[in-house]
Amino acid sequence: MESPPDVYFGDDSGLHNADCWITPASGGGGGGASAPRGRLGPLDPTTNFVSSITVNPSYGGTVFVGLNISLNGFTLNGGAISQFLGVGASDITTSSFNWSAGILNNAVVKAVLNIVSGSGSITGGDLTCGDDLNLNGFRLQLNNTGDLTFNNNAGISLSNDSYFDWTSTTNIVSTGSGIILNSDGTLWKATTIAEALVKCDLPYVNNGSRAGLMINRGTLAFTRAGPTNGVSVLQNDGAVILGIDGARGATLQVNQGFTMNGGRLDAASGFTSYITIGDVKVHGGLVRVGETGWGALTCAGDVTMDGGTYLPIVDFRANKASLWKAKSFGILFNAQLRVSSLNIPDPIPTVPFHILETTAVNKITGNFANANNLLIGTTGKKYTGGMNANNLDYDITTP
């Protein structure tokens, strides 16, 4: 049996501009389309009949995909792909993917590009995608210089320890209701430009215990609300990590708010990180301001905490504590406070540490459920938590 062929469009393939159809042997153009001017075939949709597809820069036509295909490699450097039969009928699965030019699915219906168990990159300038990009054990580097635009309500999903490495200042643009759904992977905003701001129109959801949103530096801005949850960033599990511990802080912009039902929110030690524009709601999980030492987190909006745990760090030697600032704090119901104490002296001096702060009086309401039961390491002694006299700050005070 002959090995499946590597198929090229453009350059020496003879298909420089003609449209071409990848369809079953018994198929026509499909979908009511006109007859094809070129065709690969006859093709059996039950077998891996093509090893790889490469669309070269010189190709000016459209490759119409009229069935589900599995590839060892997919390179798109020109022309256009049309998965005109949509999800479940024109999907592409590949273990290698590189894209620098051309349109990925110019049809008016969404299809899927499943990218599994490998690595690849998105480079070039402005690019348009009409597919859901499903990363499954795949590492994809986003490093183009223009916008990446999603049509057809398409979005991105990450599973099985996938990485989406956002290493450029590319903005992700959307004309529909697609989202980024992270079930078990990492979206890493890793641009090396110090204060770069990049925007994403796809709302973001952390939905697995190993799902992570990591902002290396600068600002990652989620501009729109999720179609079902109404917020820009929703965390049900996993982690949102701002900055690099001991190196720098970072900023998460949430135009329509951030809701946390579980997992962790970490802000880097030794620096200030920010959550800007929208409000923050904590229903569960752990807010850790500073990972190995004191840190700072400033929220531009209101913070409501009716569950979960706030974990500040107190360093007695440095006489500093983690500080969480916001427009206001509403501390309700079962919200907990736990303190990590470093370099505890003996005896312990009586000193207050600010751990919450607002800019206007009486903007901290409620109290943590365990405010009078805050252990100082293993000393057997306890902090006492409460508002200080200026009604701006919440302090924990040693005995």
Side-chain angles (χ1 to χ4, degrees), residues 17-318:
N17 291 296
D19 292 343
C20 187
W21 297 75
I22 302 176
T23 59
S26 59
S34 59
R37 287 180 283 163
R39 174 188 245 153
L40 300 178
L43 304 174
D44 182 353
T46 64
T47 65
N48 189 10
F49 51 85
V50 175
S51 179
S52 68
I53 290 177
T54 300
V55 183
N56 288 305
S58 62
Y59 183 66
T62 297
V63 179
F64 292 86
V65 178
L67 74 171
N68 297 327
I69 55 175
S70 293
L71 306 170
N72 293 321
F74 180 25
T75 300
L76 180 59
N77 292 329
I81 303 295
S82 177
Q83 292 156 266
F84 60 94
L85 295 182
V87 174
S90 290
D91 296 338
I92 299 173
T93 299
T94 180
S95 57
S96 175
F97 176 63
N98 292 282
W99 180 20
S100 67
I103 300 173
L104 178 57
N105 190 20
N106 66 2
V108 295
V109 292
K110 179 172 69 174
V112 176
L113 176 64
N114 296 305
I115 321 173
V116 298
S117 302
S119 63
S121 64
I122 298 175
T123 57
D126 291 334
L127 297 171
T128 300
C129 180
D131 275 358
D132 279 336
L133 299 184
N134 292 348
L135 279 61
N136 184 347
F138 193 88
R139 187 160 200 152
L140 181 64
Q141 184 181 61
L142 180 63
N143 197 29
N144 60 314
T145 57
D147 291 341
L148 174 58
T149 299
F150 283 82
N151 295 328
N152 298 337
N153 300 318
I156 301 168
S157 69
L158 292 84
S159 62
N160 195 24
D161 291 323
S162 291
Y163 273 79
F164 188 86
D165 294 342
W166 198 329
T167 56
S168 68
T169 55
T170 297
N171 295 319
I172 293 180
V173 179
S174 174
T175 60
S177 59
I179 67 170
I180 299 176
L181 177 61
N182 189 348
S183 299
D184 178 15
T186 301
L187 190 156
W188 186 26
K189 191 262 188 185
T191 177
T192 57
I193 301 174
E195 299 304 322
L197 181 150
V198 296
K199 297 180 180 180
C200 183
D201 290 342
L202 298 175
Y204 181 88
V205 178
N206 260 354
N207 209 38
S209 62
R210 295 191 295 175
L213 170 61
M214 301 172 61
I215 304 178
N216 175 295
R217 68 198 314 161
T219 301
L220 177 53
F222 291 94
T223 60
R224 300 171 65 181
T228 59
N229 57 57
V231 295
S232 295
V233 174
L234 172 66
Q235 177 162 285
N236 294 318
D237 206 343
V240 171
I241 301 173
L242 304 180
I244 302 297
D245 204 50
R248 55 183 170 268
T251 300
L252 172 65
Q253 179 178 315
V254 286
N255 290 24
Q256 302 301 321
F258 170 42
T259 294
M260 180 172 164
N261 295 320
R264 299 189 337 266
L265 169 61
D266 287 350
S269 301
F271 295 86
T272 301
S273 293
Y274 300 87
I275 300 177
T276 58
I277 299 185
D279 297 333
V280 175
K281 296 181 180 179
V282 180
H283 304 306
L286 178 68
V287 179
R288 188 169 58 168
V289 179
E291 298 178 49
T292 58
W294 62 270
L297 175 63
T298 297
C299 297
D302 300 313
V303 173
T304 302
M305 190 171 184
D306 58 15
T309 300
Y310 172 36
L311 175 61
I313 294 177
V314 171
D315 188 335
F316 282 89
R317 183 180 300 160

